Amino acid sequence: VTWKIYWGLLKEFGIFSAVTVSVLLVLGQAIFIYGDYWLARWASSDAEEQKESKWIWIYAIFVGALIIISVWRAQVFFHFSLVASTSLHEKSLSRVLHAPLSFYHTNPTGRILNRFSRDLGAVDEQLPKVAFDALQAFMMVSGALVLLIVVIPYILPVFVPLIIMFLWINQRYLVTSRELKRFEAVTRSPVYANFNAIITGLPTIRAYRVANFFRKQFLHLLTINCSWWLSWITCARWIGFRLDFIVAMLLTAAPFIMVGIQEKL
């Protein structure tokens, strides 16, 4: 999957809306980090100073601003995601309806139905949610890393082997998961085509009493597709476990380094 595909989706999404969402993501994360910093200042101040109302009021302003920005960026993102998916559906439908007859001779009905049902359904339902979660997670991780580097600069050498390990795991996962997803999509098309053929020829199947044969054929195609789907889920769990392991190593190294620094000081 080249960056041209992502750029095409971004153009459907809108450059202005993408910039707006990016700014709101950065602004929300900055307010979140500064809110934690404000709590740290509040906790480290004197007992008498902690009783002042400015601490709770300013922190309430941070929380309110963060809520408004979070709702605003989510509304903008999902609205324009719907606009982008609608535009892609209209363009796909227009090209299929205006395609020459040779297109229908070389592409079976199941493959066309697969594009307009499962693939565009994923663009409508799954892609916006996953993309928004990924953007938020990226901003949270980036903010946490910046804060960690500022507070504990001695942790930078720990990142070198972890980054190398992450890049190696990421490379293996992308190659494998991409091929598994493609095989799952390829084996899904015959399922739709076979089901459509069964529905169309149902009177003939009943007349010749071969329902059991077509039932076994359909279940065989469905089993092949489900086996690739299970392999893809297993691949996702494979990278999930290893990423959790990397995070556990980082969270284990950080407190040990902090304790070591405090002892030297």
Side-chain angles (χ1 to χ4, degrees), residues 30-119:
I31 294 176
F32 179 79
I33 294 176
Y34 195 80
D36 289 343
Y37 170 72
W38 186 259
L39 283 178
R41 286 186 57 188
W42 187 4
S44 60
S45 60
D46 298 334
E48 292 297 327
E49 190 178 357
Q50 289 182 2
K51 298 179 181 179
E52 296 180 5
S53 59
K54 67 174 184 179
W55 299 105
I56 187 66
W57 281 111
I58 295 179
Y59 186 71
I61 292 174
F62 287 151
V63 173
L66 186 60
I67 292 175
I68 293 174
I69 290 175
S70 299
V71 174
W72 186 12
R73 70 191 183 191
Q75 184 176 6
V76 172
F77 182 85
F78 286 105
H79 171 72
F80 285 99
S81 295
L82 182 61
V83 172
S85 62
T86 303
S87 176
L88 289 174
H89 178 271
E90 291 177 352
K91 289 181 178 179
S92 302
L93 182 61
S94 176
R95 291 180 180 181
V96 168
L97 292 178
H98 292 86
L101 289 177
S102 58
F103 173 80
Y104 297 96
H105 292 318
T106 55
N107 293 277
T109 306
R111 184 179 301 170
I112 300 175
L113 291 175
N114 188 18
R115 297 294 174 269
F116 281 93
S117 57
R118 184 61 181 273
D119 293 345

Side-chain angles (χ1 to χ4, degrees), residues 169-263:
I169 293 174
N170 181 63
Q171 180 64 27
R172 294 197 63 184
Y173 168 75
L174 286 178
V175 174
T176 306
S177 64
R178 186 184 300 122
E179 294 303 320
L180 288 175
K181 195 62 180 176
R182 285 173 176 169
F183 277 118
E184 191 273 332
V186 169
T187 56
R188 194 191 320 128
S189 298
V191 175
Y192 287 112
N194 185 264
F195 183 77
N196 183 59
I198 291 175
I199 296 299
T200 304
L202 195 58
T204 306
I205 294 173
R206 289 175 177 175
Y208 285 92
R209 298 179 180 180
V210 289
N212 190 41
F213 169 79
F214 283 95
R215 177 179 177 274
K216 291 181 178 179
Q217 187 183 47
F218 177 78
L219 291 178
H220 175 69
L221 295 174
L222 189 62
T223 300
I224 295 176
N225 177 250
C226 290
S227 64
W228 286 110
W229 174 251
L230 180 62
S231 300
W232 184 77
I233 295 178
T234 305
C235 184
R237 291 300 89 212
W238 180 88
I239 189 175
F241 173 77
R242 281 153 179 80
L243 292 181
D244 290 341
F245 179 73
I246 293 177
V247 172
M249 292 177 62
L250 180 60
L251 294 178
T252 303
F256 278 107
I257 294 176
M258 291 183 66
V259 172
I261 294 173
Q262 290 296 330
E263 290 179 354

